[in-house]
Amino acid sequence: MSMLVPVAAWPCAPQHRITCVLSTQLAPAAIVTGSESGQLVLWCRASKFATPTEPAQENAGAGPLTPRTVLFGHGATIVWLAQCAYESSEAIASLCREGHANAWDPADGRCLSASAAPLLGDGTRAVAATILPGRTHAVIAGVCLSVEALNSLTRRRSCGACTLPWPSSQVRPPHCTCLT
């Protein structure tokens, strides 16, 4: 059995215009940055790389950062990054302006899940998001009052309008993609 392992090396830090930053406790990624080009970079402390079996040093806050992995998976500006629960492990969630969300393995940079279509629909640009307290759902907001709730475990979504109490004489909005 042969195993192909992609390797990339660069003489200096990747050049990208950072649009958002996430500080994580996930080893070995200390910092994650998103960029205008849709790339993410996982950064580690230069002094010592943390591993799942060996945590980062207590004073790891001091010292330079070194780029460890460049992640490709979005075609538009990254607008949001978060740490989330994905299946039975921790992951990094990203959202691009087109409304596509991805989940990434912080240890090796693999894309664990990618939305096939924009989550907000109708060409609505995503502008913000947040992880809800259980860390399995994200709320995504768009520029034209669109809000989606996404369950990272089941990959099901529901629009914010569907959570409102609708009078029986009204039907749900036509853009509703609620799976409940």
Side-chain angles (χ1 to χ4, degrees):
M1 172 197 271
S2 69
M3 185 167 116
L4 297 175
V5 178
V7 175
W10 48 79
C12 61
Q15 298 294 315
H16 70 171
R17 297 180 73 112
I18 295 172
T19 56
C20 53
V21 178
L22 170 67
S23 173
T24 82
Q25 297 299 318
L26 302 175
I31 300 288
V32 182
T33 57
S35 70
E36 285 182 349
S37 63
Q39 300 169 357
L40 282 75
V41 176
L42 303 180
W43 301 81
C44 295
R45 298 283 171 220
S47 59
K48 180 175 180 173
F49 290 93
T51 65
T53 58
E54 186 177 344
Q57 297 172 344
E58 286 297 317
N59 62 356
L65 291 171
T66 300
R68 189 176 66 81
T69 309
V70 179
L71 310 177
F72 299 93
H74 289 290
T77 301
I78 304 299
V79 296
W80 173 75
L81 296 167
Q83 185 174 325
C84 69
Y86 180 81
E87 294 181 355
S88 61
S89 63
E90 294 291 319
I92 296 168
S94 61
L95 176 70
C96 76
R97 182 159 284 143
E98 290 176 341
H100 292 272
N102 290 359
W104 306 91
D105 185 323
D108 60 15
R110 282 180 300 123
C111 184
L112 302 171
S113 178
S115 58
L119 297 173
L120 295 176
D122 299 330
T124 301
R125 286 187 4 210
V127 294
T130 190
I131 288 285
L132 296 177
R135 296 184 326 114
T136 59
H137 287 76
V139 175
I140 302 167
V143 293
C144 65
L145 302 178
S146 297
V147 177
E148 295 279 345
L150 176 67
N151 182 329
S152 67
L153 298 176
T154 64
R155 295 172 203 79
R156 298 180 91 183
R157 61 186 179 158
S158 62
C159 71
C162 294
T163 61
L164 299 174
W166 288 95
S168 58
S169 62
Q170 290 184 339
V171 294
R172 293 185 190 265
H175 70 277
C176 175
T177 56
C178 185
L179 299 175
T180 57

